[in-house]
């Protein structure tokens, strides 16, 4: 095993260990399961040292992202449980069930306007990469950031997540999902070029040309910030009524 790979593995196990933090899930697992649709991106607020580093670098609550594929693997595995595809720091790209995230804060980000064929192609891209490895160079960079944060302006912090080796068989969670959406030409946070020209009547017109950014430059929070994903909250989707809540008696006031 190469020294860099060995160091990366050791750091991955250390950084990914969950810490003793009390988290309350954003919504009940059953409600979350009833709300998810194929192609949804689930953002997760993790509790590990690794998650803390990503949250600090990206200035966001979200440290992990997973793509909901539903029953896409049922025919091959025989297991009807709905699944996500994620890039895990230790296990690499894998499929995991919903209860893997049941105890954590989560957010659903839903792409809009895709038909079934496009959703199937999106999922097929992610599923085809199950078994690929996590980019361990990214782990080393994050560990280095935890030891001594570099003097990098906020606008350049995202590039700290893009120091990986560039090997197409290696990825981090957000780059895997961003690449999947890029494969079907669906925007996350593209670079936008404003092109001016003459219209039919000779009038000056401007068009926006979208350019797919390098997938390694994406962070989990980008799906939350993207104007092309709808934020879906399970509690509100299923008939939330504030008048039906049971409140504890208010403490006596002096």
């Amino acid at each position: 095993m190469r020294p860099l790979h060995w160091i990366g593995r050791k750091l991955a196990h250390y950084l990914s260990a969950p810490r003793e933090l009390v988290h309350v899930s954003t919504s009940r697992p059953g409600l979350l399961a009833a709300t998810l649709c194929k192609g949804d991106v689930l953002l997760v607020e993790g509790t590990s040292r690794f998650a803390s580093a990503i949250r600090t670098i990206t200035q966001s609550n979200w440290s992990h992202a997973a793509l909901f594929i539903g029953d896409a693997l049922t025919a091959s595995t025989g297991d009807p449980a709905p699944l996500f595809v994620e890039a895990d720091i230790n296990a690499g790209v894998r499929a995991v069930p919903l209860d893997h995230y049941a105890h954590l804060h989560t957010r659903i980000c839903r792409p809009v306007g895709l038909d079934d064929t496009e959703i199937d192609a999106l999922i097929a891209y992610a599923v085809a990469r199950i078994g690929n490895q996590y980019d361990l160079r990214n782990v080393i960079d994050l560990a280095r950031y935890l030891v001594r944060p570099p003097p990098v302006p906020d606008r350049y912090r995202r590039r700290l997540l893009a120091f990986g080796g560039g090997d197409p068989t290696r990825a981090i969670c957000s780059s895997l999902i961003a690449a999947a959406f890029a494969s079907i030409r669906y925007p996350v946070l593209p670079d936008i070029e404003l092109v001016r020209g003459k219209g039919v009547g000779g009038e000056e017109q401007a068009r926006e040309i979208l350019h797919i950014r390098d997938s390694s430059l994406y962070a989990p929070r980008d799906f939350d910030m993207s104007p092309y994903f709808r934020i879906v909250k399970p509690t509100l989707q299923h008939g939330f009524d504030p008048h039906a809540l049971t409140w504890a008696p208010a403490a006596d006031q002096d």
Side-chain angles (χ1 to χ4, degrees):
M1 183 180 295
R2 292 174 296 175
L4 188 62
H5 185 82
W6 182 86
I7 293 171
R9 281 283 169 218
K10 291 294 184 181
L11 283 173
H13 284 292
Y14 171 75
L15 294 174
S16 63
R19 293 183 293 170
E20 295 296 326
L21 297 176
V22 177
H23 266 224
V24 179
S25 60
T26 307
S27 56
R28 297 189 303 275
L31 203 57
L32 183 61
T35 306
L36 285 162
C37 295
K38 285 184 177 179
D40 283 351
V41 178
L42 188 73
L43 303 182
V44 182
E45 182 181 5
T47 62
S48 66
R49 295 181 181 89
F50 185 76
S52 296
I54 293 178
R55 287 200 301 269
T56 300
I57 291 173
T58 63
Q59 298 293 286
S60 167
N61 287 343
W62 311 115
S63 60
H64 187 64
L67 181 69
F68 186 63
I69 64 170
D71 61 356
L73 292 180
T74 299
S76 58
T77 64
D79 185 356
L83 299 172
F84 293 88
V85 169
E86 66 166 15
D88 177 73
I89 186 173
N90 291 303
V93 182
R94 63 180 181 175
V96 295
L98 176 60
D99 60 13
H100 189 71
Y101 308 112
H103 63 293
L104 297 171
H105 292 164
T106 57
R107 170 165 292 174
I108 298 173
C109 299
R110 178 166 296 163
V112 176
L114 296 178
D115 59 32
D116 291 344
T117 301
E118 291 168 317
I119 292 291
D120 288 344
L122 171 75
I123 290 173
Y125 181 98
V127 167
R129 280 145 184 84
I130 291 177
N132 285 2
Q133 295 302 303
Y134 199 96
D135 195 336
L136 293 178
R137 292 194 181 189
N138 182 266
V139 175
I140 294 172
D141 290 321
L142 286 175
R144 190 168 56 200
Y145 182 87
L146 282 172
V147 173
R148 185 177 181 180
V152 177
D154 287 349
R155 65 182 180 277
Y156 296 127
R157 285 187 171 192
R158 122 177 5 262
R159 292 188 177 272
L160 291 174
L161 294 174
F163 287 167
D167 187 335
T169 65
R170 299 177 184 275
I172 60 173
C173 63
S174 47
S175 69
L176 168 70
I177 300 173
F181 278 101
S183 73
I184 61 167
R185 308 297 290 177
Y186 190 88
V188 181
L189 279 178
D191 290 325
I192 299 177
E193 176 188 4
L194 193 62
V195 177
R196 298 187 179 278
K198 298 291 185 180
V200 176
E203 297 179 353
E204 185 80 9
Q205 293 183 342
R207 287 191 305 151
E208 290 185 348
I209 306 297
L210 274 59
H211 297 270
I212 298 293
R213 285 185 11 227
D214 184 342
S215 61
S216 67
L217 295 177
Y218 282 95
R221 77 165 187 171
D222 290 336
F223 297 95
D224 190 9
M225 295 173 59
S226 172
Y228 310 108
F229 284 76
R230 178 179 292 130
I231 303 303
V232 181
K233 299 188 176 183
T235 301
L236 301 184
Q237 287 288 109
H238 294 273
F240 171 67
D241 181 2
H243 306 101
L245 299 176
T246 301
W247 294 89
D252 292 336
Q253 301 292 321
D254 292 335

